[in-house]
Each structure stands twice: as C-alpha cells, then as structure tokens.
Amino acid sequence: MKTKFGVIVFSVIVSVLFAPGAWSGAVRHPGGEDQDYVPTGRGWGVPDTLIEGAQKRSSRTTVKTSNGINYHGGPLMLGTPNVYYIWYGNWSGNTAINILDNLAFTLGGSPYYNINTTYYDGSNRKVSNALAAPASTTDNYSRGTALTDNDVLTIVTNSISSGTLPKDSNGIYVVLTSADVNETSGFCTQYCGWHSHANILGMDAKFAFVGNADRCPNACAAQTSSSPNGNIGADAMASTIAHEVDEAVTDPDLNAWYDTRGYENADKCAWKFGTVYKTANGSSANMNLGGLNYLIQQNWLNAGGGKCASSY
Ligand SMILES: [Zn+2]
C-alpha cells in the first residue's frame, strides 16, 4: 500500500519508458493490449515484462469483468485463512496489541470484509467472509532496526522453522514493526505496508509487512492529531493491515485479481474512507468491529460495475 503521497515520480518514469509506442500493436497480448501491468504488492503495478516476462504472460488466462478489475488465473485464499502477527521490536506497554488483535479477531465476518466475497477463482469458488487469528508471536530485533525485504522474509521463516508459528499455506504472516524500526526498501517514503509470497520450507507462504505509522504519521496515518482508539500509529496500522489482508486473499501470488494498472482490489481505494462518523474523542471512524471504532480504507467491490465500498 502506497503512502498518502503515492509514488508519483516512479509512476512518471514508468509511463515514460513504457508508454504505448508505434509498435505496441505488433505485440498482441492474450488479454488485450491493456493487460500490461502486474502488481508488486506495494500499491503500484509494473509492466509484466519487468517481472517474470514471457513465462508470466504465457501462463495467464485473463478473465475481464465489467467491474474494473480482472482475474488472471492464479489462486485465491479460500476457506478460513489464518492471520498470524509477528510483533517485531519493542511493543511493550503499547495499546496497539489490543487494537490490532481485536481487528484480527473481528475483521472476518464483518460487512467490510464481506466485500472480498465478490472475488472468485477459475472454478467459481469465492473468498469466504471468514478469518481466524489462532496465534501470534514476538521477535526481539533479531534482524536489527533497519530491515531489508529479505530480512522480513527471514523473520517470517524463522517464526515457522522454530515452530513458534505453524507452517500454514492458508496463513498470512504479518510482520508488524515498532516505530524505531525502518524497512529500507521504502517504508514511509513509497509505502506503508506491502504483501508478497515466497517459498518457505516448501510451502507457498503468504506474508506482509506493516510498519508502525508513528514513525511517519504524515505519510502513513490518515489522522495525525487524534484517532479512534487514541493510538495514532496503531489506528493507522489497522487500515493498512485490512488493506494487505484484502489483497492477500484475492491476489496471494500476485497473479489473480488486479486491474490494468496492476492495482489490486484495495489499491483501487487506498486512502478513501467513504462515510465517516465522529467518535467520543473527536476523531473520525467508519466502522465498529468488536466494540472498537476504526477508520479503515475502502476496498473495491467486484460487482455491479465496481466501486469503492466500506461494506457489502
Ligand atoms: Zn496494496
């Protein structure tokens, strides 16, 4: 998921380098000439030739919908996916634990999460309005305070190989970093969180990074003076976690649901919140889950022509 300010410079470079040229008509794509971009899991797409080239393209079976988002043949996360938090760094005494645990316990089954049930695979099997959060763990700075993307993968791998978290191909492992930790590939400057997948111990593991927005509230928090649960960083993380989970279940391997720009479902509605109400402390929220108010960015409804929605 991009920061509030997006990645404008990157986008400009991409469109300059890859704008359709005189010869574009000579390179016909199976899904049509607008099927040029694939997701990165970070809130923007890149030309598919930059990712896996011919292999990706030839294996693709695009199903175009009339809803502004298309299916590219890859798997979805069905049944009841399990969300596993890995609390990295120092979270002691932080109310984030309660705020974000409550989110993991109550997101599944909510009217908001129900939007994901409008997504289906090639056998017409739909995402369920169900999530579970059976376990979480902590990591005491095993990779220091400046993480690379590979460090995030290592943190997830270690949590599984040590037996601390189960090896679960229907799991989403979410690394949550405390505010003193940076993710050096672009946290706070290009994105607030991302999701990806990798082979871990022979399993196609789905995982995500979500950093504490207290590190950069101007880039990664929708509200910077007050927030529904009195924790600006954690309340912003709730929105980013929901965004990444929406994408992980509908596009776990980055080859299922995304639009012609390479935007996944939640990317299409990043930083849009729809109708909001005032909470007791004067901040804005748009949904109550398990007794707590949250301001969660909208998700793309894959029905009725498509739109950003807070519920379905
Ligand atoms: Zn995203």
PDB file of all heavy atoms in Angstrom, residues 1-2 41-43 195 243-244 247 264 266-267, ligand 1:
ATOM      1  N   MET A   1       0.840  -1.181   0.000  1.00  0.00           N
ATOM      2  CA  MET A   1       0.000   0.000   0.000  1.00  0.00           C
ATOM      3  C   MET A   1       0.876   1.232   0.000  1.00  0.00           C
ATOM      4  O   MET A   1       1.799   1.370   0.782  1.00  0.00           O
ATOM      5  CB  MET A   1      -0.856  -0.047   1.267  1.00  0.00           C
ATOM      6  CG  MET A   1      -1.479   1.256   1.553  1.00  0.00           C
ATOM      7  SD  MET A   1      -2.204   1.341   3.161  1.00  0.00           S
ATOM      8  CE  MET A   1      -2.522   3.079   3.113  1.00  0.00           C
ATOM      9  N   LYS A   2       0.598   2.161  -0.879  1.00  0.00           N
ATOM     10  CA  LYS A   2       1.368   3.383  -1.022  1.00  0.00           C
ATOM     11  C   LYS A   2       1.169   4.319   0.168  1.00  0.00           C
ATOM     12  O   LYS A   2       0.208   4.220   0.898  1.00  0.00           O
ATOM     13  CB  LYS A   2       0.928   4.127  -2.291  1.00  0.00           C
ATOM     14  CG  LYS A   2       1.411   3.467  -3.555  1.00  0.00           C
ATOM     15  CD  LYS A   2       1.202   4.351  -4.755  1.00  0.00           C
ATOM     16  CE  LYS A   2      -0.249   4.539  -5.117  1.00  0.00           C
ATOM     17  NZ  LYS A   2      -0.417   5.149  -6.439  1.00  0.00           N
ATOM     18  N   GLY A  41       2.427  -5.772  -5.154  1.00  0.00           N
ATOM     19  CA  GLY A  41       2.021  -5.979  -3.769  1.00  0.00           C
ATOM     20  C   GLY A  41       2.268  -4.757  -2.902  1.00  0.00           C
ATOM     21  O   GLY A  41       2.054  -4.793  -1.698  1.00  0.00           O
ATOM     22  N   ARG A  42       2.748  -3.673  -3.514  1.00  0.00           N
ATOM     23  CA  ARG A  42       3.097  -2.481  -2.746  1.00  0.00           C
ATOM     24  C   ARG A  42       2.229  -1.278  -3.079  1.00  0.00           C
ATOM     25  O   ARG A  42       2.482  -0.180  -2.593  1.00  0.00           O
ATOM     26  CB  ARG A  42       4.562  -2.133  -2.989  1.00  0.00           C
ATOM     27  CG  ARG A  42       5.415  -3.252  -2.459  1.00  0.00           C
ATOM     28  CD  ARG A  42       6.872  -3.147  -2.767  1.00  0.00           C
ATOM     29  NE  ARG A  42       7.475  -4.367  -2.249  1.00  0.00           N
ATOM     30  CZ  ARG A  42       8.540  -4.402  -1.465  1.00  0.00           C
ATOM     31  NH1 ARG A  42       9.143  -3.312  -1.109  1.00  0.00           N
ATOM     32  NH2 ARG A  42       8.991  -5.544  -1.034  1.00  0.00           N
ATOM     33  N   GLY A  43       1.247  -1.499  -3.936  1.00  0.00           N
ATOM     34  CA  GLY A  43       0.340  -0.400  -4.226  1.00  0.00           C
ATOM     35  C   GLY A  43       0.510   0.175  -5.613  1.00  0.00           C
ATOM     36  O   GLY A  43      -0.183   1.104  -5.981  1.00  0.00           O
ATOM     37  N   HIS A 195       2.453  -6.684   0.715  1.00  0.00           N
ATOM     38  CA  HIS A 195       2.280  -8.136   0.880  1.00  0.00           C
ATOM     39  C   HIS A 195       2.980  -8.843  -0.255  1.00  0.00           C
ATOM     40  O   HIS A 195       3.194  -8.275  -1.329  1.00  0.00           O
ATOM     41  CB  HIS A 195       0.794  -8.522   0.945  1.00  0.00           C
ATOM     42  CG  HIS A 195       0.119  -8.545  -0.384  1.00  0.00           C
ATOM     43  ND1 HIS A 195      -0.148  -9.696  -1.087  1.00  0.00           N
ATOM     44  CD2 HIS A 195      -0.350  -7.540  -1.168  1.00  0.00           C
ATOM     45  CE1 HIS A 195      -0.754  -9.404  -2.223  1.00  0.00           C
ATOM     46  NE2 HIS A 195      -0.887  -8.098  -2.305  1.00  0.00           N
ATOM     47  N   HIS A 243      -6.079  -3.514   4.456  1.00  0.00           N
ATOM     48  CA  HIS A 243      -5.728  -3.376   3.038  1.00  0.00           C
ATOM     49  C   HIS A 243      -4.895  -4.580   2.572  1.00  0.00           C
ATOM     50  O   HIS A 243      -5.211  -5.203   1.548  1.00  0.00           O
ATOM     51  CB  HIS A 243      -4.950  -2.060   2.882  1.00  0.00           C
ATOM     52  CG  HIS A 243      -4.366  -1.782   1.541  1.00  0.00           C
ATOM     53  ND1 HIS A 243      -4.771  -0.720   0.760  1.00  0.00           N
ATOM     54  CD2 HIS A 243      -3.374  -2.405   0.839  1.00  0.00           C
ATOM     55  CE1 HIS A 243      -4.056  -0.711  -0.360  1.00  0.00           C
ATOM     56  NE2 HIS A 243      -3.198  -1.717  -0.332  1.00  0.00           N
ATOM     57  N   GLU A 244      -3.867  -4.911   3.313  1.00  0.00           N
ATOM     58  CA  GLU A 244      -2.987  -6.005   2.879  1.00  0.00           C
ATOM     59  C   GLU A 244      -3.690  -7.364   2.942  1.00  0.00           C
ATOM     60  O   GLU A 244      -3.459  -8.233   2.094  1.00  0.00           O
ATOM     61  CB  GLU A 244      -1.707  -6.039   3.711  1.00  0.00           C
ATOM     62  CG  GLU A 244      -0.873  -4.759   3.670  1.00  0.00           C
ATOM     63  CD  GLU A 244      -0.478  -4.290   2.280  1.00  0.00           C
ATOM     64  OE1 GLU A 244      -0.425  -5.109   1.354  1.00  0.00           O
ATOM     65  OE2 GLU A 244      -0.248  -3.078   2.125  1.00  0.00           O
ATOM     66  N   GLU A 247      -5.927  -7.805  -0.034  1.00  0.00           N
ATOM     67  CA  GLU A 247      -5.153  -8.134  -1.233  1.00  0.00           C
ATOM     68  C   GLU A 247      -4.572  -9.543  -1.159  1.00  0.00           C
ATOM     69  O   GLU A 247      -4.517 -10.253  -2.174  1.00  0.00           O
ATOM     70  CB  GLU A 247      -4.032  -7.108  -1.412  1.00  0.00           C
ATOM     71  CG  GLU A 247      -4.583  -5.717  -1.678  1.00  0.00           C
ATOM     72  CD  GLU A 247      -3.522  -4.663  -1.806  1.00  0.00           C
ATOM     73  OE1 GLU A 247      -2.370  -4.890  -1.376  1.00  0.00           O
ATOM     74  OE2 GLU A 247      -3.844  -3.582  -2.318  1.00  0.00           O
ATOM     75  N   GLU A 264      -4.239  -3.881  -7.178  1.00  0.00           N
ATOM     76  CA  GLU A 264      -5.083  -4.903  -6.561  1.00  0.00           C
ATOM     77  C   GLU A 264      -6.325  -4.230  -5.973  1.00  0.00           C
ATOM     78  O   GLU A 264      -6.455  -3.001  -5.975  1.00  0.00           O
ATOM     79  CB  GLU A 264      -4.280  -5.628  -5.488  1.00  0.00           C
ATOM     80  CG  GLU A 264      -3.066  -6.333  -6.085  1.00  0.00           C
ATOM     81  CD  GLU A 264      -2.132  -6.887  -5.032  1.00  0.00           C
ATOM     82  OE1 GLU A 264      -1.672  -6.104  -4.175  1.00  0.00           O
ATOM     83  OE2 GLU A 264      -1.883  -8.103  -5.045  1.00  0.00           O
ATOM     84  N   ALA A 266      -7.647  -3.500  -2.991  1.00  0.00           N
ATOM     85  CA  ALA A 266      -7.581  -2.404  -2.022  1.00  0.00           C
ATOM     86  C   ALA A 266      -6.786  -1.211  -2.548  1.00  0.00           C
ATOM     87  O   ALA A 266      -7.018  -0.071  -2.128  1.00  0.00           O
ATOM     88  CB  ALA A 266      -6.996  -2.914  -0.704  1.00  0.00           C
ATOM     89  N   ASP A 267      -5.850  -1.464  -3.460  1.00  0.00           N
ATOM     90  CA  ASP A 267      -5.091  -0.347  -4.036  1.00  0.00           C
ATOM     91  C   ASP A 267      -6.018   0.646  -4.725  1.00  0.00           C
ATOM     92  O   ASP A 267      -5.737   1.848  -4.753  1.00  0.00           O
ATOM     93  CB  ASP A 267      -4.086  -0.858  -5.079  1.00  0.00           C
ATOM     94  CG  ASP A 267      -2.991  -1.688  -4.475  1.00  0.00           C
ATOM     95  OD1 ASP A 267      -2.650  -1.463  -3.301  1.00  0.00           O
ATOM     96  OD2 ASP A 267      -2.479  -2.577  -5.189  1.00  0.00           O
TER      97      ASP A 267
HETATM   98 ZN    ZN B   1      -1.992  -2.631  -1.795  1.00  0.00          ZN
END
